[in-house]
Amino acid sequence: MSAASETRPTTVACLLGPTASGKTAAALALAERRPIEIVSVDSALVYRGMDIGTAKPTRDERARVPHHLIDILDPADAYSAAAFRADALRLVGEIVARGHTPLLAGGTMLYYKALTQGLNDLPGADPAVRAELDADAARDGWPALHARLAQIDPETAARLAPNDSQRIQRALEVFMLSGQPMSALLAAPPRADDAAARYRFVPVALEPSDRAVLHARIAARFDAMLDAGFVDEVERLRRRDDLHLGLPSMRCVGYRQAWEFLDGEIDYRTMRDKGIFATRQLCKRQITWLRAMPERIVVDCVAEDATAHALDALERTIDGRAPR
């Protein structure tokens, strides 16, 4: 083997797309043809006990092909882009070593960006600082902390809603620990490392030519989740003393709306409509992320033969026939 072939990066296909775009169908179709293992790129699927509202692959689907980074965390805990990057790189290496083909699949584009572009030097979470900020918020309210953030990091504050507690807390925490605004740290060049250089990640993007079709799918899927017992799932989580709406897990699309319904803040119809609207907003953000990737291979996810086209694109990528 030549030195050039030894250092050539391994191509890794990445199946990305908004919610309800058909990622699971395409991944399972690929599993029928190749010995793949799927690494989930999804910030919601990591949580145990959150199955219906996250559209988690079924037991049968997970029995047909190995899945990774699903059900690895309790909903009371937090998972980060940094943790995902470390886990994903480790798993890809292990899958390749087993002689199998890794397939990254999901819709959390921040995770994909962290994996492929590296991480900025943001400080880690600090329980003491977070407790202090929680106490300030309990006394003054999150809009007051948002105003505080606007004084030290106006760029970050401008893109956050006054009640976005999770992100306001994180931005203030970063400033308190580093002495620098989060916006300045994020603008700095990300850290490079040798681990990611071993791989060439190629995104196959499922994008709709007609967004109305995808919106209809989103509504139908949310209704199917409700019929499958989604509200009961949230009720079981809500009974736990250690879970609350400030946690990343409970901020997942649909869970907050169902929790508000169970608290009596909104009626069932409003909960459904707000859940569908929030999912559509998530879809919009995911598509925006995708369209910022000039290297992606686009597949129309609302075409009748979308799964076949996605399968072809994935196989071409794995075989090294994708455009460079």
Side-chain angles (χ1 to χ4, degrees), residues 229-249:
F230 175 46
V231 173
D232 292 336
E233 177 176 274
V234 179
E235 173 60 27
R236 287 192 294 273
L237 295 166
R238 183 170 163 270
R239 285 200 294 265
R240 288 181 44 171
D241 294 336
D242 57 343
L243 298 183
H244 55 82
L245 287 178
L247 292 169
S249 59

